[in-house]
Amino acid sequence: WGEWDTVTPANCTIKGLEQRICMNDDKHVESRELPLLPHKEGAWEIVKQPDAKNKENGLKVLRCAVGGEILKEEVIPYVTTTWFYNNTASTQGLRFRDVNPELTGKWYMFTPVDLSVDGVQEIPIIASNMYYIGNLTLTVAEGNVTAEYKMARGVNVRSEFLSYFADLSLVEKVEPAQIAYEKLPFGEPVSIETELKGDTNVLLYTHFVVDYNDDLNIQRFFTSSKEYKALVSALKEMMD
């Protein structure tokens, strides 16, 4: 037999063929298949662009350069164009500047709460006066109140502050750095009798500094909404 010669080269989609011929009689021919070759990777191709407006991810694929088969897929995450860094957040309530403009020109909120009955209260957390980004849970039990919060996925909390004021007239400053001595712990019971001096109608003041963006499926907040105006009216009655 002579050497094997390629008749049809193989690739990743078609098997090849090779044959050899008898050196004494060229009518005697042997043939055999050549196995498929590995796919040859081509360039990545974007088949769907990410859509930040509709919050839809994109998709890119890696095809074989020979047969076009899809070898790999990768999701292209959509990216929001609006990021908020070092923004402030507070529990939903009354804005200090609306009830006492001399305290601050900023939008910071406080929430009147009733701690006289054991139970759980859920209070939304608002950032930048624009977005609901989480919830604060107040649990009253056995003479203590415990405040815990849970932010939406992806919200980064840089700093946190919690305090209770007996009356708005006692609030002289609202920047946490200036009233650090009033700071109380999140997640730990606070004695109503000892630390709040038995007062069960207090003003809850939380202050967070957060990073977040608007691709978190978070809801917009509007001070002009009927729901917020009704809440403000009810909270003012609690203060009265």
Coordinates of all heavy atoms in Angstrom, one line a residue, residues 92-93 132 219-235:
Q92 N -40.1 57.5 56.1 CA -41.2 58.3 55.6 C -41.9 59.0 56.7 O -42.3 58.4 57.7 CB -42.2 57.5 54.7 CG -43.3 58.3 54.1 CD -44.2 57.5 53.2 OE1 -44.3 57.8 52.0 NE2 -44.8 56.5 53.8
G93 N -42.2 60.3 56.6 CA -42.8 61.0 57.6 C -43.0 62.5 57.2 O -43.2 62.8 56.0
Y132 N -38.5 55.0 47.2 CA -38.6 54.1 48.3 C -37.5 53.1 48.1 O -37.4 52.4 47.1 CB -39.9 53.4 48.2 CG -41.1 54.2 48.5 CD1 -41.9 54.8 47.5 CD2 -41.5 54.5 49.8 CE1 -43.0 55.6 47.7 CE2 -42.6 55.3 50.1 CZ -43.4 55.8 49.0 OH -44.5 56.6 49.3
Q219 N -39.6 52.1 43.7 CA -40.8 52.9 43.4 C -40.5 54.4 43.7 O -39.8 54.7 44.6 CB -41.9 52.4 44.3 CG -43.2 53.2 44.0 CD -44.3 52.7 45.0 OE1 -44.2 51.7 45.7 NE2 -45.4 53.5 45.0
R220 N -41.0 55.2 42.8 CA -40.9 56.6 43.0 C -41.7 57.1 44.1 O -42.8 56.6 44.4 CB -41.2 57.4 41.7 CG -40.2 57.3 40.6 CD -39.0 58.3 40.9 NE -39.3 59.6 40.4 CZ -39.3 60.7 41.2 NH1 -39.1 60.6 42.5 NH2 -39.5 61.9 40.7
F221 N -41.2 58.2 44.8 CA -42.0 58.8 45.9 C -42.3 60.2 45.5 O -41.4 60.9 44.9 CB -41.1 58.8 47.1 CG -41.6 59.7 48.2 CD1 -42.7 59.4 48.9 CD2 -41.0 60.9 48.4 CE1 -43.2 60.2 49.9 CE2 -41.4 61.8 49.4 CZ -42.6 61.4 50.2
F222 N -43.5 60.7 45.7 CA -43.9 62.0 45.4 C -44.6 62.7 46.6 O -45.6 62.1 47.1 CB -44.9 62.0 44.2 CG -44.3 61.4 42.9 CD1 -44.6 60.1 42.6 CD2 -43.6 62.2 42.1 CE1 -44.0 59.6 41.4 CE2 -43.0 61.7 40.9 CZ -43.3 60.4 40.6
T223 N -44.1 63.8 47.0 CA -44.8 64.5 48.1 C -46.1 65.1 47.7 O -46.9 65.5 48.5 CB -43.9 65.7 48.6 OG1 -43.6 66.5 47.5 CG2 -42.6 65.1 49.2
S224 N -46.4 65.2 46.4 CA -47.6 65.7 45.9 C -48.7 64.7 45.8 O -49.9 65.0 45.5 CB -47.4 66.3 44.5 OG -47.0 65.4 43.6
S225 N -48.4 63.4 46.1 CA -49.4 62.3 46.0 C -50.5 62.4 47.1 O -50.2 62.9 48.2 CB -48.8 61.0 46.0 OG -48.3 60.7 47.3
K226 N -51.7 62.0 46.8 CA -52.8 62.0 47.7 C -52.4 61.1 49.0 O -52.8 61.5 50.1 CB -54.1 61.5 47.1 CG -54.6 62.4 46.0 CD -55.9 61.8 45.4 CE -56.5 62.7 44.4 NZ -57.7 62.1 43.8
E227 N -51.7 60.0 48.7 CA -51.4 59.1 49.8 C -50.4 59.8 50.8 O -50.6 59.7 52.0 CB -50.7 57.8 49.2 CG -51.6 56.9 48.4 CD -51.8 57.4 47.0 OE1 -51.1 58.4 46.6 OE2 -52.7 56.9 46.3
Y228 N -49.5 60.5 50.3 CA -48.5 61.2 51.2 C -49.2 62.3 51.9 O -49.0 62.5 53.1 CB -47.3 61.7 50.4 CG -46.3 62.4 51.3 CD1 -45.6 61.7 52.3 CD2 -46.2 63.8 51.2 CE1 -44.7 62.4 53.2 CE2 -45.3 64.5 52.1 CZ -44.6 63.8 53.0 OH -43.7 64.4 53.9
K229 N -50.0 63.0 51.3 CA -50.7 64.1 51.9 C -51.6 63.6 53.1 O -51.7 64.2 54.1 CB -51.5 64.9 50.9 CG -50.7 65.8 50.0 CD -51.5 66.6 49.0 CE -50.7 67.4 48.1 NZ -51.5 68.2 47.1
A230 N -52.3 62.5 52.8 CA -53.1 61.9 53.9 C -52.3 61.4 55.0 O -52.6 61.6 56.2 CB -53.9 60.7 53.3
L231 N -51.1 60.9 54.7 CA -50.2 60.4 55.8 C -49.7 61.6 56.6 O -49.7 61.5 57.9 CB -49.0 59.7 55.2 CG -47.9 59.3 56.1 CD1 -48.4 58.2 57.1 CD2 -46.6 58.8 55.4
V232 N -49.4 62.7 56.0 CA -48.9 63.9 56.7 C -50.0 64.4 57.6 O -49.7 64.7 58.8 CB -48.5 65.0 55.7 CG1 -48.3 66.3 56.4 CG2 -47.2 64.6 55.0
S233 N -51.2 64.4 57.2 CA -52.3 64.8 58.0 C -52.5 64.0 59.2 O -52.6 64.5 60.4 CB -53.6 64.8 57.2 OG -54.7 65.2 58.0
A234 N -52.4 62.6 59.0 CA -52.5 61.7 60.2 C -51.4 61.8 61.2 O -51.6 61.8 62.4 CB -52.6 60.3 59.6
L235 N -50.2 62.0 60.6 CA -49.0 62.2 61.5 C -49.0 63.5 62.3 O -48.6 63.5 63.5 CB -47.7 62.1 60.7 CG -47.4 60.7 60.0 CD1 -46.1 60.8 59.2 CD2 -47.3 59.6 61.1

